[in-house]
Amino acid sequence: MNDQNPATQEPVIVVGAGPAGCTAALLLADSGIPVTLLERYPQPHTLPRAVHLDDEVARILDRIGVAEGFLARSRPGSGLRLLDARHRVMAEFSRDQQPSQHGFPQANMFHQPDLEELLLARVDQHSLIDLRRGAEVIGLDDDDAPGPLTADRVRVHARVAGDPQTFTGRVVLGCDGANSTVRQLAGITMEDLGFTERWLVVDIKAETGLDTWDGVEQICDPARPATFMHVTGDRYRWEFRLGDGEDEADLTTPAALGALLRPWTGRGDLDGLQIIRSASYTFRARLASRFRAGRVFLLGDAAHLTPPFIGQGLAAGLRDADNLAWKLAHVLTGRAVPDLLASYETERRPHARALIKKAVRVGWAMTGGQDRAAAVRRIALAAAVRSDRICQAMGSTATSRLAAGALQPSPRRFLPSGLPPALRVGGLIPNPLVSAGDGMPVRLDAILAGRPAVLTARLPDAGLAGFCRRHGLVLARISAPGTGTPPGPGAQPDAGWIDVRLASDAAPAGLRALAADPALTVVVRPDRVVAAVGTRSRRPRLPWYIPAAAGPERPATASPTAHPASAFPVTTTP
């Protein structure tokens, strides 16, 4: 970080101290960017909400230092079962409870207040984060005229303990939920993607525990679709779809609720059960018309609302934070020009739309339609469970690769045939156990430490090492397990690269392929997305503009002269 850069002396204003806001604040602060975190509620929420995070998103928690606590308070889930109206298993899609290629179980069940407690503890400890509780945002001034981010242009007006106060910063991140005040003040509308259903959500603690499956059960009953999941310990959740005009109060009397829970409790009363919450929620599929207006960015539920059927609602907000935070840090510390920020919407909005539509499709397949549609669904499911490919896809938590934005795809003719999916531009680099020097094995993410990196199996030449030093990239030389790394002419402690050895022959195929092919060079972004892949004869270049003072590197598609914000290169993966 450049401590003399005035952009690092003024804060980024984050509105909303939920998981997305806290994650964005911690990622920025860990990069040296001061943050003012405004939260309207005087105390943290104590009621459960989200209950699932996948292995990809758990890596983000690891980067901000809460993964160990999260694993201690969560548990791996076994997958998904689809049951008919009589609770007979129609299909089962399992998930591995052991660490995946990303270093964590594929499905992690948790109690959201536990996660928020971990996040807020780190926020409170961070010297660069100023958390203001009881701060209700009531106004926003953004001078959207062209100009450097080093100018104070965003003013957020709030009532703090009843008194008016104005906060000034470089940019504003709206992480303030589905009814986002920041979104409304920025004049951004929401697009309805065609899904609105009312569901009753019931959270319960059972004194002695219930004899149930430890995965998620979806009841595919058109008359009363339902979802059941064992969360953690003695915590359980049920969700029941409400019919048109149906009153939730009619279902939450002791007799009615006991009858709804009978298939899992084995009894018609609520003895031994403590109802933590029962409330109706409207599940929606909505997407902000844009994720940015001037110096205002939207994240999490402020930007998108996802039905819960694939467990990606909260995860999408953490992905937003991970995608945007490093780009802001690069721009504010002079390692990239502001054009890079345009790629936040270019990357995240299509990705969020795809996940929302997938959730809607999965929700309909599980719960939609009446008699004839239900019969068709059962036939289709019977065929699906006989397909290994479909079962693997249903059990997988992997999300689609980014298709456009701060990426530098290479023409196919320059890459070896059969390049593993894990090394393709736009996807996440795996996170295997590796050894550096004589130390104990750690995950690759710990070596990269949230920094952009270049990975290669060959002895780095002086040009590559100099390029990485100039732009603050970690240069890691990857080798297979059990192999030595020849010292080479510059392999001293100050050589400019780290020798990294895969700790196991069971390392993910992508990293084994990279270690076996010295011709390959892979650029990895701070959010662990593969940004570019090159060969010995065609070195990859950073796919974001570098300020002239920082060096001559420019993306291959960039204009050599002017770089207006609208000219940020939008590329597609091969």
Side-chain angles (χ1 to χ4, degrees):
M1 183 189 73
N2 179 8
D3 291 331
Q4 302 305 312
N5 187 333
T8 65
Q9 306 306 309
E10 294 290 336
V12 168
I13 300 175
V14 178
V15 180
C22 285
T23 299
L26 288 166
L27 289 168
L28 286 165
D30 285 346
S31 298
I33 307 299
V35 174
T36 298
L37 180 57
L38 305 180
E39 170 55 50
R40 66 178 301 182
Y41 295 105
Q43 299 296 329
H45 288 285
T46 59
L47 293 178
R49 283 155 289 151
V51 295
H52 169 269
L53 285 176
D54 63 34
D55 49 346
E56 294 180 356
V57 177
R59 293 175 70 173
I60 303 173
L61 300 183
D62 196 28
R63 277 188 59 198
I64 56 178
V66 301
E68 184 176 350
F70 176 74
L71 290 176
R73 300 190 187 195
S74 63
R75 68 171 190 83
S78 293
L80 171 68
R81 278 179 178 171
L82 304 183
L83 310 182
D84 64 13
R86 296 171 60 184
H87 286 243
R88 296 173 300 186
V89 177
M90 295 191 297
E92 180 175 324
F93 308 101
S94 62
R95 288 175 179 167
D96 196 340
Q97 296 192 2
Q98 297 304 310
S100 71
Q101 67 171 351
H102 296 297
F104 296 90
Q106 288 184 311
N108 300 277
M109 308 300 295
F110 72 101
H111 181 54
Q112 184 167 332
D114 288 345
L115 173 60
E116 293 193 10
E117 182 181 338
L118 294 169
L119 292 170
L120 289 168
R122 267 229 70 206
V123 165
D124 290 340
Q125 295 165 2
H126 211 299
S127 61
L128 289 180
I129 301 178
D130 179 16
L131 172 59
R132 305 289 187 94
R133 284 199 169 274
E136 181 183 2
V137 172
I138 57 175
L140 175 65
D141 298 328
D142 176 21
D143 182 357
D144 194 20
L149 288 184
T150 53
D152 293 344
R153 294 191 180 272
V154 184
R155 289 169 294 280
V156 175
H157 307 291
R159 278 193 295 262
V160 183
D163 297 325
Q165 190 168 346
T166 297
F167 300 89
T168 304
R170 304 300 173 194
V171 298
V172 173
L173 308 189
C175 307
D176 49 343
N179 298 314
S180 171
T181 299
V182 171
R183 185 183 66 232
Q184 295 171 17
L185 292 172
I188 299 175
T189 59
M190 292 290 273
E191 175 187 357
D192 191 334
L193 298 184
F195 183 92
T196 302
E197 289 186 350
R198 293 172 58 244
W199 286 63
L200 174 67
V201 179
V202 181
D203 286 285
I204 281 178
K205 293 182 70 173
E207 291 178 359
T208 59
L210 301 178
D211 184 16
T212 58
W213 190 54
D214 70 347
V216 176
E217 292 182 336
Q218 180 65 56
I219 314 306
C220 302
D221 177 8
R224 178 71 76 190
T227 305
F228 164 76
M229 61 204 81
H230 176 198
V231 183
T232 58
D234 57 358
R235 296 182 180 275
Y236 301 84
R237 171 173 292 180
W238 285 265
E239 298 169 352
F240 301 96
R241 191 173 71 187
L242 296 173
D244 293 339
E246 193 168 24
D247 188 346
E248 65 178 277
D250 294 335
L251 297 181
T252 53
T253 63
L257 191 54
L260 284 175
L261 304 186
R262 183 193 294 272
W264 296 273
T265 64
R267 55 192 305 163
D269 55 45
L270 300 178
D271 288 352
L273 303 180
Q274 178 187 357
I275 300 176
I276 304 301
R277 175 190 61 165
S278 63
S280 65
Y281 285 84
T282 301
F283 296 158
R284 304 182 189 277
R286 292 187 174 179
L287 186 68
S289 58
R290 47 190 175 136
F291 282 18
R292 178 187 185 184
R295 295 165 188 266
V296 177
F297 297 81
L298 300 182
L299 296 81
D301 285 354
H304 39 70
L305 296 174
T306 308
F309 304 112
I310 58 173
Q312 286 292 324
L314 176 62
L318 302 192
R319 294 178 198 275
D320 293 340
D322 198 23
N323 185 287
L324 180 59
W326 75 267
K327 296 172 182 177
L328 272 175
H330 268 56
V331 170
L332 293 174
T333 55
R335 288 174 286 171
V337 298
D339 303 39
L340 177 60
L341 299 179
S343 69
Y344 170 61
E345 180 169 325
T346 301
E347 293 178 353
R348 286 300 305 143
R349 192 169 184 274
H351 198 265
R353 177 187 285 272
L355 282 179
I356 293 171
K357 289 192 170 183
K358 178 180 179 181
V360 170
R361 289 194 302 270
V362 170
W364 186 90
M366 292 177 179
T367 67
Q370 294 296 327
D371 302 326
R372 187 172 181 180
V376 171
R377 180 173 58 244
R378 186 176 182 88
I379 294 171
L381 284 173
V385 296
R386 293 194 294 269
S387 167
D388 291 340
R389 182 179 63 83
I390 293 178
C391 287
Q392 184 177 7
M394 285 291 292
S396 173
T397 57
T399 59
S400 58
R401 291 184 294 135
L402 299 179
L407 308 169
Q408 185 66 59
S410 299
R412 290 183 183 274
R413 66 181 182 276
F414 292 112
L415 297 177
S417 59
L419 188 70
L423 296 184
R424 294 174 186 169
V425 169
L428 288 179
I429 196 77
N431 186 30
L433 286 169
V434 297
S435 298
D438 297 326
M440 294 292 293
V442 296
R443 293 287 171 185
L444 179 63
D445 283 355
I447 299 293
L448 304 186
R451 297 168 292 178
V454 170
L455 310 180
T456 186
R458 67 177 179 273
L459 184 68
D461 57 56
L464 183 59
F467 166 78
C468 292
R469 276 195 301 271
R470 190 161 59 252
H471 299 307
L473 309 177
V474 176
L475 178 53
R477 185 183 180 199
I478 306 292
S479 61
T483 62
T485 50
Q492 303 299 324
D494 61 348
W497 69 82
I498 304 171
D499 278 325
V500 176
R501 185 172 60 256
L502 300 179
S504 169
D505 288 324
L511 268 296
R512 286 188 279 114
L514 178 60
D517 190 348
L520 286 176
T521 303
V522 176
V523 177
V524 180
R525 304 184 337 186
D527 56 1
R528 303 164 314 284
V529 170
V530 175
V533 179
T535 62
R536 191 189 302 272
S537 60
R538 186 181 176 85
R539 194 175 80 193
R541 308 181 78 177
L542 292 183
W544 53 85
Y545 299 131
I546 306 300
E553 293 291 332
R554 295 289 187 273
T557 57
S559 163
T561 52
H563 306 294
S566 61
F568 187 87
V570 177
T571 53
T572 56
T573 53

